[in-house]
Amino acid sequence: MPANKNALIRYKTIDNCLRNRYKRWTLEDLVDACSDALYDMEGITKGVCTRTVQMDIQIMRSDKLGYNAPIVVYDKIYYTYADPDYSITEMPLSMDDCKLLKEAIALLDNLDNPEAAKTRKVLAKVKTRLTTILNFV
C-alpha cells in the first residue's frame, strides 16, 4: 500500500481527534488512534511510531499540503486546534481559488475532444456553484 494513502488516513485521524474537544489528546493518544485507524482501514498491525505522528503534525501545521492547521500544545502535553471550528476536511475556498477554478473551467470548456465531452456536465455544475459564490460576495 502506498505511504501516501496511509499518511492521508493518519492526517484524517489526527484531525478527527483534535476536533473532539471532550478529550485531552496527548501525543501517545494520537499515536494509538492512528495505529487503530490503520489497522481498521488497511489491516496494518505494525502500528505507527511517535516520530511519524510528530512529522504528520508538523506537515499539517505547514503550508506544504495547504492545511495550515492551527495545532497548539497546551499544558506542555495536550494537542488541540486553536480554532475549534477548524478541520482539514472542511477548508473553504478563497476568492482567488474560486477565480482560478473559474478560469480552469473556461479552459476545459474550450477543449474539443472525447474526454472533455464526458466532463461537461460536471463542469457545468461546478461553474454554477462558483458563479453563485462569486456573485454572493
Side-chain angles (χ1 to χ4, degrees):
M1 188 54 51
N4 291 349
K5 183 176 183 183
N6 294 343
L8 184 58
I9 291 170
R10 292 192 313 269
Y11 300 152
K12 286 185 173 188
T13 301
I14 293 168
D15 180 60
N16 287 335
C17 291
L18 299 182
R19 291 181 66 201
N20 178 357
R21 306 291 250 186
Y22 298 106
K23 179 170 173 40
R24 295 173 135 198
W25 295 97
T26 64
L27 184 59
E28 191 59 37
D29 292 331
L30 295 173
V31 169
D32 291 343
C34 288
S35 295
D36 291 346
L38 285 171
Y39 177 75
D40 292 343
M41 293 183 190
E42 298 296 321
I44 297 172
T45 57
K46 183 180 172 190
V48 177
C49 70
T50 302
R51 185 71 183 134
T52 299
V53 173
Q54 288 173 323
M55 294 301 295
D56 289 345
I57 290 170
Q58 185 176 17
I59 288 172
M60 289 172 70
R61 281 177 171 155
S62 75
D63 190 34
K64 191 171 189 176
L65 299 176
Y67 293 149
N68 295 311
I71 300 172
V72 294
V73 180
Y74 64 97
D75 293 342
K76 298 180 182 178
I77 191 170
Y78 301 111
Y79 289 78
T80 191
Y81 284 135
D83 176 0
D85 296 325
Y86 180 84
S87 174
I88 63 171
T89 59
E90 298 176 15
M91 294 174 44
L93 292 174
S94 70
M95 291 311 293
D96 289 338
D97 293 340
C98 290
K99 289 175 184 174
L100 287 172
L101 276 173
K102 196 170 181 180
E103 290 174 19
I105 290 169
L107 286 172
L108 289 171
D109 246 351
N110 291 331
L111 294 178
D112 191 28
N113 63 45
E115 294 302 314
K118 293 178 185 177
T119 61
R120 294 218 190 275
K121 287 182 182 178
V122 174
L123 288 174
K125 288 179 185 178
V126 174
K127 192 176 192 177
T128 302
R129 199 79 180 269
L130 284 173
T131 302
T132 303
I133 291 169
L134 290 172
N135 288 337
F136 181 71
V137 174

